[in-house]
Amino acid sequence: MLGSAGTAATSTVAPSPLLRVTDLTVRFGGIVALDRVSFEVAAGQICGLIGPNGAGKTTFFNCLSRLYPFREGRIEFDGRSLIEVPRHGIAPLGIARTFQNLALFRGLTVGENVMLGAHARSSGGFLACALRLPRARAQERRIAERARELMELVGLAPYAARRVADLPFGIQKRVELARALASAPRLLLLDEPAAGLNHEEVEGLMSVIRRIRDVLHITVLLVEHHMNLVMRTSDKVVALDFGRKIADGTPELVQQDAEVIRAYLGGGGK
C-alpha cells in the first residue's frame, strides 16, 4: 500500500520478475545477432518486443525456447536459469509459444488440435491410455473440457467440430493460440500473431490477448511488426536494433525515443 502524503511508505521488497534476461549475447560466426541484451518482464505484464527486420527478435525467441543455444549471458524464468533446460523441458516448465508459420494438424478438427496442446501436462502414461483405464478416461474428459473453455475464450467455439483445413487463415491463427494455451503456460510467447490478418481481425486479436492476461493471468511476450497492436496492448515495450536494446519502457516513452524513431524511419536492420 502507498504511504500517505508526507509520510514514508512501508518498505517492501519488489517481487522478482517472471522473466529476467541479463547480458544475452548470441553469435553466428562473425555476426552478433544479440549484443548484451538485458530486460525484465513482471508476472502479469504484456510486453511487446519490437524492432526492424534483422533486429534480433526471433533470435531471442529461439533462445528462450531453447531452439538456439547461447553461451553468453543468462535467461531466467521464475528465478531458474534456462541454459540447462532441454527443448522438451520448456513446455512443462510453463512456457508456450506460437510461430510465424502455422504448424497445425489440418486434417483434424479445431477441438482436436486444441486438445493436443495439453500433451505436455498429461500424466496418464502410454499403457493407461492404450488400455483406456479409468484414470486415462478421466484425464481425457478434463482435457476436453479445458479445450472447450479455451475455445470459448478465444472465439473458436462455433468452429470446434470443423476441420482446420476448411477454415480461413485468421481462424487458424486462433487455433494455434488456443493450442498453446492448452499447455497451461505461465508465459506465452506470441511470434507475429497479427501477420496476415486484416484490420478487423487485428482488433479482435487485441481483445483476445488482453483476455488471456486478465482471465487466465498469463504473462505475454509479444513479437510484432504491427505497431498499433503493440502500443495499444502492451504494458511495456522493449526495442531492439542490430541486436542491441535501444529502448525499454512504457509504450508512450518508447514511441518518443530518438533511437527508436531513427531505427524505423532512418533505416535499420531482425
Side-chain angles (χ1 to χ4, degrees):
M1 178 181 297
L2 294 175
S4 59
T7 63
T10 303
S11 177
T12 59
V13 178
S16 298
L18 183 65
L19 178 68
R20 174 182 281 135
V21 183
T22 307
D23 293 335
L24 183 64
T25 300
V26 177
R27 294 182 174 88
F28 299 111
I31 298 174
V32 180
L34 292 172
D35 187 5
R36 298 179 64 83
V37 172
S38 298
F39 65 92
E40 298 178 350
V41 181
Q45 277 191 323
I46 299 173
C47 178
L49 187 62
I50 66 170
N53 288 328
K57 305 183 299 297
T58 297
T59 297
F60 172 73
F61 259 32
N62 287 339
C63 288
L64 183 50
S65 305
R66 302 300 289 125
L67 298 178
Y68 287 172
F70 59 93
R71 296 289 178 263
E72 298 179 54
R74 187 174 179 87
I75 301 177
E76 296 175 61
F77 177 69
D78 199 19
R80 177 178 177 178
S81 173
L82 296 186
I83 196 165
E84 300 298 334
V85 177
R87 294 176 185 176
H88 63 267
I90 291 296
L93 195 61
I95 300 174
R97 175 182 178 178
T98 65
F99 290 84
Q100 295 179 25
N101 300 315
L102 295 177
L104 298 169
F105 293 92
R106 294 172 55 79
L108 299 182
T109 67
V110 169
E112 289 166 340
N113 269 276
V114 176
M115 289 177 65
L116 284 171
H119 77 280
R121 297 289 188 177
S122 62
S123 58
F126 174 77
L127 187 60
C129 292
L131 297 177
R132 300 285 294 164
L133 296 180
R135 181 179 62 181
R137 293 199 302 271
Q139 178 174 258
E140 186 173 340
R141 287 194 297 270
R142 289 194 298 270
I143 289 174
E145 177 59 29
R146 183 58 174 165
R148 284 191 290 271
E149 293 172 354
L150 292 173
M151 287 186 288
E152 184 70 34
L153 181 74
V154 303
L156 287 174
Y159 309 98
R162 299 274 300 277
R163 278 199 332 150
V164 165
D166 299 331
L167 297 172
F169 180 74
I171 299 299
Q172 292 188 32
K173 295 274 279 190
R174 292 202 185 195
V175 177
E176 187 183 40
L177 177 56
R179 186 177 63 180
L181 293 173
S183 67
R186 298 172 61 196
L187 175 64
L188 178 63
L189 312 178
L190 300 180
D191 195 351
E192 299 197 21
L197 302 186
N198 60 37
H199 176 74
E200 183 179 351
E201 290 168 334
V202 170
E203 289 290 325
L205 178 62
M206 292 183 196
S207 298
V208 167
I209 293 173
R210 293 191 194 101
R211 285 203 300 273
I212 288 170
R213 191 269 304 278
D214 296 340
V215 175
L216 301 180
H217 309 294
I218 293 174
T219 305
V220 179
L221 183 57
L222 166 72
V223 163
E224 185 53 70
H225 284 290
H226 197 293
M227 287 299 99
N228 186 41
L229 183 149
V230 173
M231 297 302 173
R232 289 174 57 190
T233 307
S234 302
D235 301 303
K236 72 173 290 182
V237 176
V238 176
L240 302 179
D241 189 29
F242 290 108
R244 296 183 304 107
K245 185 183 79 172
I246 58 174
D248 180 351
T250 64
E252 294 77 17
L253 288 176
V254 170
Q255 286 182 93
Q256 299 169 17
D257 187 275
E259 281 291 292
V260 173
I261 295 171
R262 180 204 56 77
Y264 277 96
L265 301 182
K270 170 177 174 179

